[in-house]
Amino acid sequence: MPEIVLDNLCKSFDGVVAANGLSLTIADGEYVCILGPTGAGKTTCMRMVCGLTHPDSGKVFLDGRDVTEDSVDSRNATMLSQTYALFPHLNVYDNVMFAPRIKGWPEDSSKQIVRSMLHMVHLEQKADWRPDELSGGQQQRIALARALASGSKILLLDEPLRALDARLRINLRKELRSLAKEMKLTCIHVTHDQDEALEMADKIAVIRKGRIIQFGTPRDVFENPATPFVANFVGRSNTLVGRVVSSGVQTVVEVAPGVRVLARDSDLQEGSEAVVSVKTGFTRLSKTSEDPEASGYMVGVVERVLYEGVTITVEIGVDGIGLISASLPNRKYDDYSVGDRVGISWAPQKASVFPMPPEGLEEEMRLD
């Protein structure tokens, strides 16, 4: 199981920076999901791992060996691209069988591998079909099966479940991760689906403007974001700006005249500008008559209640602040109506607090 080390990679295309000192270490057998906005450098990162793109500077190490100048064939890595790249003249079975045949594996074991892969993607009944007879989602599943059948120990997946319907996508998440672990693969999986990354990954790498800005477990990235951008990008968050009243064991930030919210501990200076971010799922609502001037408590008026299946989102307008959202269990759907006056609070340890970014909050939150 190869370790992957990317050491200070830089890459530009016609003056557009795709990797800007990109560094990342992925341990043997880890399943890593890369999250980031369009153009952040996700696909370029994977192409440099497998050798399809050569970095302008920096190095790529696989299992301790510098492979920066090595060919694609020598890296034992397979990349599943968004274009699928199926062989149009071969049927489904032969597309999946291609790598085992090229590598000269025994026929019986090759057939078993192909059958297993086709069963995994639920297309064993279409083994004789050609790619042009399949839907886009089916083509994507065949491309995934072919990649898994290649025998490579590094699997690079660029939005592998993108074209699938919701139910099949959820099922394949579990099967793909289980199969990767069973086959002892080291995986890099690019996705825009945050639920997908949170469910599948051992570690999540958040990339922006060609740099990894946070790398950690799904829980750590979700609950302990490194920057306001990560807080806003991974999961739905409420973001407030104010001045630090006090810091230490917990931080008190005044976000509007007379309105103070609580956040986790920090060493921010009193009077400095700060950004507070709290996930909508950690935001609590109440209909009690608590003192609206108490620290950590706001009062607002319900403007919308959105039904989302197992959850609901309640949007509350707060004078001087704007909208605050709370995600609640759907059993509370009838508890809140438009026009209700409600209290808003959260546990201080669930709210992240950051110094105001030098470039300003708007620039920090941009997705390009």
Side-chain angles (χ1 to χ4, degrees), residues 109-150:
S109 61
S110 296
K111 289 180 178 179
Q112 180 58 45
I113 289 170
V114 173
R115 284 195 294 268
S116 297
M117 295 303 102
L118 291 178
H119 177 74
M120 192 272 289
V121 298
H122 308 290
L123 285 174
E124 57 265 59
Q125 301 302 318
K126 298 187 183 296
D128 295 330
W129 291 37
R130 292 187 314 181
D132 61 2
E133 298 175 302
L134 303 173
S135 68
Q138 290 170 335
Q139 291 180 30
Q140 190 169 35
R141 286 147 62 192
I142 293 304
L144 175 60
R146 188 180 64 181
L148 289 168
S150 68

Side-chain angles (χ1 to χ4, degrees), residues 235-295:
R236 292 184 292 173
S237 297
N238 294 303
T239 303
L240 302 94
V241 176
R243 295 280 175 183
V244 176
V245 175
S246 63
S247 61
V249 177
Q250 67 182 24
T251 305
V252 181
V253 180
E254 188 170 62
V255 295
V259 181
R260 297 177 175 183
V261 298
L262 305 181
R264 60 186 56 166
D265 63 294
S266 77
D267 57 1
L268 297 179
Q269 294 295 312
E270 181 179 331
S272 63
E273 198 171 14
V275 178
V276 176
S277 180
V278 60
K279 299 300 182 192
T280 60
F282 297 149
T283 303
R284 301 183 301 213
L285 302 183
S286 66
K287 291 187 176 181
T288 65
S289 56
E290 294 181 48
D291 180 3
E293 296 184 0
S295 290

Side-chain angles (χ1 to χ4, degrees), residues 63-84:
D63 208 18
R65 182 170 62 93
D66 184 353
V67 299
T68 312
E69 304 299 330
D70 290 4
S71 66
V72 174
D73 295 341
S74 67
R75 299 194 185 198
N76 199 24
T78 294
M79 181 172 173
L80 172 59
S81 71
Q82 293 188 28
T83 60
Y84 315 147

Side-chain angles (χ1 to χ4, degrees), residues 133-329:
E133 298 175 302
L134 303 173
S135 68
Q138 290 170 335
Q139 291 180 30
Q140 190 169 35
R141 286 147 62 192
I142 293 304
L144 175 60
R146 188 180 64 181
L148 289 168
S150 68
S152 297
K153 289 304 181 182
I154 296 174
L155 188 60
L156 309 172
L157 304 166
D158 197 356
E159 298 279 1
L161 309 180
R162 172 176 57 95
L164 308 182
D165 65 78
R167 181 175 293 278
L168 183 57
R169 187 165 62 246
I170 290 171
N171 289 338
L172 276 181
R173 284 178 194 170
K174 302 172 185 176
E175 294 181 25
L176 178 54
R177 177 182 163 84
S178 296
L179 196 60
K181 293 298 182 182
E182 182 181 331
M183 298 172 71
K184 297 180 169 57
L185 305 178
T186 302
C187 295
I188 300 178
H189 176 143
V190 164
T191 178
H192 285 86
D193 188 327
Q194 295 176 18
D195 290 338
E196 188 171 296
L198 292 168
E199 180 179 335
M200 297 183 70
D202 297 315
K203 300 276 185 65
I204 292 175
V206 182
I207 188 172
R208 188 186 189 204
K209 297 180 180 178
R211 299 180 68 90
I212 302 296
I213 55 176
Q214 186 166 1
F215 183 54
T217 65
R219 182 176 182 179
D220 193 43
V221 171
F222 185 84
E223 296 193 14
N224 301 296
T227 68
F229 175 83
V230 176
N232 185 59
F233 190 74
V234 182
R236 292 184 292 173
S237 297
N238 294 303
T239 303
L240 302 94
V241 176
R243 295 280 175 183
V244 176
V245 175
S246 63
S247 61
V249 177
Q250 67 182 24
T251 305
V252 181
V253 180
E254 188 170 62
V255 295
V259 181
R260 297 177 175 183
V261 298
L262 305 181
R264 60 186 56 166
D265 63 294
S266 77
D267 57 1
L268 297 179
Q269 294 295 312
E270 181 179 331
S272 63
E273 198 171 14
V275 178
V276 176
S277 180
V278 60
K279 299 300 182 192
T280 60
F282 297 149
T283 303
R284 301 183 301 213
L285 302 183
S286 66
K287 291 187 176 181
T288 65
S289 56
E290 294 181 48
D291 180 3
E293 296 184 0
S295 290
Y297 188 80
M298 294 182 288
V299 173
V301 176
V302 175
E303 295 192 5
R304 286 203 301 176
V305 180
L306 306 173
Y307 184 82
E308 298 169 336
V310 296
T311 62
I312 63 170
T313 292
V314 183
E315 295 184 342
I316 308 102
V318 180
D319 288 343
I321 294 174
L323 281 180
I324 298 291
S325 297
S327 296
L328 307 172

